[in-house]
Amino acid sequence: MVFHLRAATGQDLPFARTLTREAMNGYYRQYGLWWSNDGFDTAWAGRENWLICRDDSVLGFISLSRDSRALYIRELHMLEACRGQGAGSWVLEQMALKAQALGLLRLTVFKTNPARQLYQRTGFNIVGEEDCFWRMERVCRSS
């Protein structure tokens, strides 16, 4: 299967917001956190956002930020029907390539989220914790 990324536009915001809310709702309830559409929209405006696609189908999206040391995956969500098809692993490899100039790829994941196993399989290590989250990173150096 051939996947590709397409730069997200403002027209993609409702899709990304709904996908994120649906994917994260159980974790938010579990940990007593509150979802904010306005908070999501504000974060979206300040990030690099991509749709994960196969042919003309949108499978999910990824949202990124960066500083001088690392590329940060802020959101990575797949439509439920599209999980387990390799797109998540593929996009993590693409982000590792993108992070080579900075050296680190970082993310935060809820402690009870099974996606942590995918992250560990693709080279991420747990480097810290905050309340209900694991902080994870992958070293990405160009050879």
Side-chain angles (χ1 to χ4, degrees):
M1 293 188 195
V2 178
F3 303 109
H4 65 277
L5 295 171
R6 177 174 66 76
T9 68
Q11 293 178 339
D12 301 309
L13 173 60
F15 164 79
R17 183 191 317 116
T18 300
L19 179 60
T20 302
R21 185 179 60 241
E22 289 174 358
M24 295 290 101
N25 196 34
Y27 302 109
Y28 274 62
R29 278 198 315 269
Q30 178 180 5
Y31 293 109
L33 303 173
W34 297 99
W35 173 263
S36 166
N37 284 337
D38 289 341
F40 182 89
D41 294 359
T42 299
W44 170 274
R47 294 183 181 157
E48 180 182 335
N49 302 296
W50 298 89
L51 296 182
I52 303 161
C53 305
R54 181 179 51 229
D55 301 321
D56 292 333
S57 300
V58 175
L59 310 179
F61 96 102
I62 186 166
S63 185
L64 309 167
S65 67
R66 68 185 72 227
D67 63 20
S68 62
R69 296 170 296 165
L71 180 65
Y72 295 85
I73 297 174
R74 300 300 185 176
E75 306 286 349
L76 172 55
H77 303 289
M78 302 297 294
L79 291 168
E80 193 167 351
C82 301
R83 294 179 191 155
Q85 299 176 16
S89 297
W90 176 84
V91 94
L92 290 170
E93 290 307 313
Q94 298 307 302
M95 295 307 107
L97 293 171
K98 195 175 185 75
Q100 283 182 347
L102 299 168
L104 289 173
L105 182 57
R106 292 182 168 156
L107 59 82
T108 302
V109 63
F110 280 104
K111 288 182 175 177
T112 54
N113 188 333
R116 177 183 54 82
Q117 296 166 339
L118 168 65
Y119 302 141
Q120 288 178 304
R121 272 197 321 271
T122 56
F124 284 83
N125 294 302
I126 295 172
V127 295
E129 64 181 298
E130 299 169 30
D131 301 323
C132 53
F133 302 105
W134 294 117
R135 283 184 289 115
M136 301 183 78
E137 69 181 28
R138 175 177 169 177
V139 176
C140 305
R141 300 266 184 239
S142 52
S143 9

